[in-house]
């Protein structure tokens, strides 16, 4: 009865407030499932976003035998260069070649007018004949005086004079013989020949000019192109490695012409190590010899990319270089676990090899590493391997002459 009485009283006193209260409660009850559903959907979407896999490219680590090489930029130079000069003074009578010709050893290059030298030779031979005749006569007189002096037919002084005359004529004949030899040599110098097989350069002195002996300006320059040399420099700290590996055998060197297409690298041997490291640059000068057979494709002055092979490194683990990243704690790679997650792995990289990097430690053969998409990864991140990269995973094989040292 009290409740029946209280309710109407309440209703009579505040009819509007009660209605509002009841309406609010009903509204809250109706809105609660909606809010709960929105929160559930948002949480589901957030969880779903965290579980989205990151697309990546991968490759397998493989084991290879790689060459340990030094690389440099060098230039080609002739194995021998000679500036041809005349050893006698005279008129250049004939030039027997054209500029840029290939000439053989002993080929006649120039002829200087030989007539003055032929005349000098004739005169020297005549003087020699004259003094030889005088010597023969003096020797006969010496025999007679030597026999007459003991008998008192001639004085001892006269005999001594004849002895001195014979000795003087002997010396004169020797001088005449030397003069004849010199005249013959000068006449021979009138024919200038190639000291070795090579290619001639620009002709400086032309036919008809007066040639001066041992002039400052050469008549022509001759270069030997077979074999040919390549000069290059490497850091001085590599000297001990070069000497150590050279002791085991001849070091192979390859040279590739810069900005040339279709010409394979040339193969030669290391032939020269300079006896001094340049103090100002710390570089060591080396030379490699190449046969340069065929069409003389290597030419003095050309720039070439040089690789000197020190030794072979067997059974090295390699991965594509883009798989190796560097962070605050050093070098690392992401290794694919069960094909679904990426695992952080610190590694020690070695030499670079035509787009591949040797892994000295931290990775085994056959492990799958991420090569693209690392910036979005963390340890344990879910990944999705791109199908197009699965087919081409793994480093591609490369020629063994394309490795270089990693910069220390």
């Amino acid at each position: 009865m009290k409740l029946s009485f209280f309710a109407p009283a309440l209703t009579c006193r505040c009819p509007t407030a009660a209605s509002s209260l009841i309406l609010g409660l009903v509204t809250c009850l109706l809105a609660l499932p909606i809010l709960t559903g929105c929160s559930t959907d948002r949480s589901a979407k957030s969880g779903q976003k965290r579980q989205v896999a990151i697309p990546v490219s991968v490759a397998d680590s493989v084991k290879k035998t790689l060459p340990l090489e030094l690389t440099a930029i060098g230039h080609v130079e002739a194995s021998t260069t000679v500036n041809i000069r005349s050893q006698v003074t005279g008129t250049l009578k004939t030039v027997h070649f054209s500029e840029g010709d290939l000439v053989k050893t002993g080929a006649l290059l120039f002829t200087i007018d030989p007539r003055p030298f032929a005349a000098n030779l004739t005169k020297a031979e005549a003087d020699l004949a004259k003094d030889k005749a005088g010597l023969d006569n003096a020797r006969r007189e010496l025999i007679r005086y030597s026999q007459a002096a003991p008998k008192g037919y001639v004085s001892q002084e006269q005999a001594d004079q004849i002895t001195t005359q014979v000795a003087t004529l002997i010396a004169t004949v020797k001088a005449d013989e030397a003069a004849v030899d010199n005249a013959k040599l000068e006449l021979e110098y009138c024919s200038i020949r190639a000291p070795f097989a090579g290619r001639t350069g620009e002709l400086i002195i032309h036919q008809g000019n007066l040639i001066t002996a041992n002039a400052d300006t050469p008549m022509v320059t001759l270069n030997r192109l077979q074999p040919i040399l390549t000069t290059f420099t490497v850091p001085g700290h590599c000297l001990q490695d070069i000497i150590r590996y050279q002791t085991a055998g001849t070091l192979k060197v390859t040279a590739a012409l810069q900005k040339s297409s279709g010409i394979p690298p040339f193969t030669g041997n290391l032939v020269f190590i300079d006896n001094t490291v340049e103090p100002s640059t710390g570089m060591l000068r080396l030379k490699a010899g190449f046969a340069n057979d065929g069409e003389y494709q290597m030419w003095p002055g050309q720039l070439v990319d040089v690789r000197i092979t020190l030794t072979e490194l067997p059974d090295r683990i390699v991965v594509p270089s883009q798989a190796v990243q560097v962070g605050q704690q050093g070098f690392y790679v992401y290794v694919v676990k069960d094909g679904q997650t990426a695992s952080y792995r610190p590694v020690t990289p070695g030499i670079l090899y035509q787009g591949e990097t040797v892994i000295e430690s931290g990775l085994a053969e056959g492990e799958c590493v991420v090569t693209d998409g690392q910036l979005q990864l963390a340890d344990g991140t879910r990944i999705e391997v791109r199908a197009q990269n699965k087919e081409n995973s793994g480093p591609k094989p490369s020629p063994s002459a394309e490795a270089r040292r990693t910069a220390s």
Side-chain angles (χ1 to χ4, degrees):
M1 292 298 292
K2 288 182 180 180
L3 289 176
S4 300
F5 176 79
F6 177 76
L10 181 61
T11 303
C12 293
R13 286 182 180 181
C14 303
T16 305
S19 301
S20 300
L21 179 60
I22 295 172
L23 181 61
L25 292 174
V26 172
T27 303
C28 291
L29 292 174
L30 293 175
L32 183 60
I34 300 175
L35 293 174
T36 305
C38 292
S39 177
T40 303
D41 292 344
R42 190 175 301 172
S43 300
K45 291 181 179 180
S46 177
Q48 186 177 11
K49 182 177 181 181
R50 286 195 300 269
Q51 296 176 359
V52 170
I54 303 299
V56 296
S57 301
V58 299
D60 292 332
S61 61
V62 296
K63 185 177 290 186
K64 290 184 177 181
T65 297
L66 307 180
L68 179 62
E69 297 182 337
L70 300 175
T71 62
I73 296 177
H75 67 274
V76 181
E77 62 181 34
S79 56
T80 306
T81 299
V82 171
N83 293 322
I84 304 297
R85 292 180 171 87
S86 175
Q87 294 179 272
V88 294
T89 299
T91 302
L92 181 57
K93 183 178 180 181
T94 309
V95 178
H96 299 275
F97 66 94
S98 298
E99 294 178 322
D101 276 357
L102 285 170
V103 296
K104 297 180 179 180
T105 302
L108 184 61
L109 302 178
F110 301 98
T111 297
I112 296 174
D113 189 358
R115 291 174 296 177
F117 304 97
N120 291 337
L121 176 59
T122 301
K123 181 179 180 302
E125 289 175 341
D127 292 340
L128 176 61
K130 173 185 174 182
D131 291 333
K132 279 186 174 181
L135 177 60
D136 291 341
N137 181 62
R139 282 173 173 168
R140 288 192 295 268
E141 288 187 357
L142 178 60
I143 294 174
R144 291 194 296 268
Y145 274 75
S146 298
Q147 294 175 353
K151 297 178 181 180
Y153 297 143
V154 295
S155 64
Q156 186 61 40
E157 181 180 0
Q158 289 176 320
D160 292 341
Q161 289 177 351
I162 293 298
T163 302
T164 302
Q165 184 179 2
V166 169
T168 301
L169 288 173
I170 290 175
T172 302
V173 168
K174 289 183 178 180
D176 292 340
E177 289 175 346
V180 169
D181 292 339
N182 185 66
K184 289 180 179 179
L185 191 59
E186 289 184 339
L187 183 60
E188 184 179 345
Y189 286 158
C190 291
S191 300
I192 302 176
R193 300 180 179 276
F196 52 80
R199 185 176 290 272
T200 60
E202 180 184 3
L203 183 62
I204 307 300
I205 304 297
H206 297 271
Q207 182 174 329
N209 283 278
L210 178 64
I211 306 300
T212 303
N214 301 316
D216 293 335
T217 303
M219 303 170 70
V220 73
T221 298
L222 182 64
N223 286 336
R224 175 181 285 169
L225 304 183
Q226 290 180 336
I228 203 166
L229 298 176
T230 295
T231 300
F232 56 99
T233 58
V234 298
H237 64 77
C238 299
L239 174 61
Q240 298 305 320
D241 289 338
I242 294 173
I243 294 177
R244 181 171 70 254
Y245 291 117
Q246 190 182 41
T247 304
T250 303
L251 297 182
K252 299 297 182 182
V253 180
T254 60
L257 299 178
Q258 293 187 346
K259 297 181 180 180
S260 63
S261 59
I263 301 178
F266 304 95
T267 302
N269 299 321
L270 184 67
V271 297
F272 170 76
I273 301 175
D274 202 354
N275 58 3
T276 304
V277 175
E278 179 60 37
S280 60
T281 61
M283 303 299 285
L284 175 68
R285 191 162 65 100
L286 308 175
K287 290 185 179 182
F290 300 86
N292 200 29
D293 294 330
E295 301 178 356
Y296 296 93
Q297 293 177 328
M298 300 185 74
W299 209 258
Q302 286 179 319
L303 293 179
V304 291
D305 295 320
V306 180
R307 295 180 181 273
I308 173 172
T309 303
L310 300 179
T311 187
E312 296 289 332
L313 303 175
D315 300 331
R316 300 291 170 159
I317 303 298
V318 299
V319 297
S321 296
Q322 61 267 29
V324 182
Q325 304 292 308
V326 61
Q328 294 181 350
Q329 298 179 354
F331 294 95
Y332 66 92
V333 297
Y334 280 108
V335 179
V336 179
K337 293 295 185 180
D338 302 326
Q340 296 180 349
T341 59
S343 175
Y344 176 88
R345 180 83 61 82
V347 295
T348 302
I351 65 171
L352 301 181
Y353 174 75
Q354 200 182 34
E356 299 172 351
T357 299
V358 173
I359 303 300
E360 300 291 350
S361 63
L363 199 65
E365 180 184 6
E367 289 192 282
C368 186
V369 297
V370 177
T371 60
D372 183 44
Q374 297 97 320
L375 296 180
Q376 304 179 60
L377 300 181
D379 191 24
T381 302
R382 286 190 58 193
I383 61 173
E384 178 183 359
V385 179
R386 298 189 182 103
Q388 62 271 23
N389 288 284
K390 290 181 181 178
E391 298 175 359
N392 300 322
S393 63
K396 297 181 180 179
S398 307
S400 63
E402 295 296 326
R404 64 177 177 83
R405 283 184 182 272
T406 304
S408 57

